[in-house]
């Protein structure tokens, strides 16, 4: 604007200089990612990474070209669940993700380290920058749906992801305890504040099925997930049981080979809510 002093604090004009600029970063020029879903929780220990792995396996088995970005840099577990032991490769063009037996593309701190047990002792800004590089520097090839395994809480990395990566929606993971439900509400509120739609909620460790009579036992108390979903207008709900087969598959790197993936039907409901 003519005669502009470039001091917006004392100016009431609505010129282009005052417009908010998007912080969204473009993915690698050779990447193609159609939809991105963040898997979040308010706290650790609720089975968020397990849920993310099950969602990815269900999507891939359902015919979607799937990828997982492990944004939990200091506590990565995705590669182990899929039995991915090789290191990520790179070239002058960019970083290539590791590909699992069924074709799922994975990028995680653990596929960059020489020793997966090596701790990542970094400050938040460096961790956030690394996660952003997983989006901008990795060549994701023809991905229909990408799941981002987020670190727990509402700190630096979730904020970076929500602001810098074009998230199409969020899936929230919780457990039946009242305390967890209260903390998960914080994650829900953060998604709402960032104007990211919540596509569904998964209650992990929801029940134990008796091997003799088949009765469902609420080990950690009565489920509150339906009420939580109704209160927050969350469209899709799933309840994961305490199932030793899930633990065995995850520990053995065979999450893709599970015959009973509890989240297949849930994921089909999520697809309907994606724009």
């Amino acid at each position: 604007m003519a005669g502009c002093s470039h001091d917006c604090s004392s100016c009431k004009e609505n010129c282009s200089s005052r417009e908010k600029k998007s912080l969204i970063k473009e993915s690698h020029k050779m990447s193609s990612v159609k939809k991105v879903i963040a898997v979040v929780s308010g706290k650790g220990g609720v089975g968020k990474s397990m849920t993310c792995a099950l969602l990815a396996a269900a999507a891939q088995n359902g015919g979607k070209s799937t990828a997982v970005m492990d944004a939990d840099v200091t506590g990565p577990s995705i590669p182990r669940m899929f039995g991915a032991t090789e290191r990520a490769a790179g070239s002058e063009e960019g970083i290539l993700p590791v590909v699992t037996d069924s074709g799922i593309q994975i990028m995680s701190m653990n596929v960059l380290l020489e020793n997966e047990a090596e701790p990542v002792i970094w400050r938040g800004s460096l961790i956030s920058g690394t996660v952003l590089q997983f989006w901008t520097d990795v060549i994701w090839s023809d991905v229909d749906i990408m799941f981002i395994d987020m670190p727990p809480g509402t700190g630096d990395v979730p904020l970076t992801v929500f602001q810098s990566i074009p998230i199409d929606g969020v899936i929230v993971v919780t457990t039946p305890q009242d305390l967890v439900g209260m903390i998960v509400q914080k994650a829900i509120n953060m998604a709402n504040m960032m104007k990211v739609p919540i596509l569904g909620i998964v209650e992990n460790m929801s029940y134990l099925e008796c091997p003799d009579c088949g009765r469902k036992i609420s080990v950690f108390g009565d489920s509150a997930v339906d009420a939580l979903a109704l209160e927050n207008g969350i469209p899709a709900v799933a309840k994961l049981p305490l199932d030793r087969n899930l633990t065995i598959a995850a520990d053995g790197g065979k999450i893709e080979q599970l015959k009973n993936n509890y989240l297949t039907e849930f994921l089909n409901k999520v697809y309907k809510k994606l724009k």
Side-chain angles (χ1 to χ4, degrees), residues 53-67 82 99-105 144-145 147 256 267 271:
L54 287 172
L55 288 167
Q60 186 74 12
N61 292 335
K64 301 286 187 182
S65 176
T66 308
F82 287 94
V99 181
T100 70
D101 291 342
S102 70
I104 298 174
Q105 300 173 51
D144 293 321
I145 183 166
F147 295 96
E256 297 166 295
L267 191 55
Y271 289 154

Side-chain angles (χ1 to χ4, degrees), residues 133-155:
Q133 284 185 291
F134 286 173
W135 175 250
T136 60
D137 295 4
V138 174
I139 303 173
W140 302 99
S141 179
D142 297 323
V143 175
D144 293 321
I145 183 166
M146 171 186 285
F147 295 96
I148 302 182
D149 182 22
M150 302 275 273
T154 56

Side-chain angles (χ1 to χ4, degrees), residues 55-258:
L55 288 167
Q60 186 74 12
N61 292 335
K64 301 286 187 182
S65 176
T66 308
V68 180
M69 180 195 296
D70 190 353
D72 196 351
V73 172
T74 60
S77 57
I78 290 295
R80 172 65 70 89
M81 292 187 190
F82 287 94
T85 57
E86 64 180 288
R87 304 276 73 82
S91 66
E92 293 182 357
E93 295 178 330
I95 305 170
L96 298 176
V98 170
V99 181
T100 70
D101 291 342
S102 70
I104 298 174
Q105 300 173 51
I106 290 177
M107 179 49 60
S108 168
M109 197 65 201
N110 265 14
V111 301
L112 298 175
L113 298 173
E114 289 295 329
N115 178 7
E116 67 173 16
E118 181 182 343
V120 178
I121 309 174
W122 293 350
R123 294 192 182 276
S125 58
L126 186 55
I127 293 172
S128 297
T130 299
V131 171
L132 189 54
Q133 284 185 291
F134 286 173
W135 175 250
T136 60
D137 295 4
V138 174
I139 303 173
W140 302 99
S141 179
D142 297 323
V143 175
D144 293 321
I145 183 166
M146 171 186 285
F147 295 96
I148 302 182
D149 182 22
M150 302 275 273
T154 56
D156 287 346
V157 172
L159 183 61
T160 295
V161 170
F162 284 140
Q163 288 183 329
S164 304
I165 298 177
I167 303 296
D168 294 286
V170 166
I171 291 175
V172 182
V173 183
T174 184
T175 55
Q177 298 98 317
D178 288 340
L179 175 62
V180 174
M182 180 273 291
I183 295 174
V184 165
Q185 187 67 54
K186 294 179 183 293
I188 292 174
N189 291 342
M190 181 178 187
N192 289 332
M193 290 173 66
M194 302 302 295
K195 302 187 184 305
V196 179
I198 302 173
L199 303 173
I201 185 167
V202 176
E203 184 177 72
N204 192 30
M205 297 179 274
S206 183
Y207 61 90
L208 173 67
E209 187 171 314
C210 176
D212 295 324
C213 66
R215 184 170 68 91
K216 294 182 178 180
I217 304 169
S218 300
V219 179
F220 297 112
D222 294 334
S223 172
V225 68
D226 292 312
L228 187 62
L230 181 63
E231 179 182 349
N232 291 278
I234 300 173
V237 174
K239 298 178 181 180
L240 284 176
L242 284 163
D243 185 345
R244 179 156 173 74
N245 291 324
L246 294 178
T247 304
I248 293 173
D251 289 346
K254 298 180 179 179
I255 202 76
E256 297 166 295
Q257 301 174 24
L258 271 173

Side-chain angles (χ1 to χ4, degrees), residues 44-58:
V46 300
K48 171 185 51 58
S49 295
M50 168 75 80
T51 300
C52 185
L54 287 172
L55 288 167

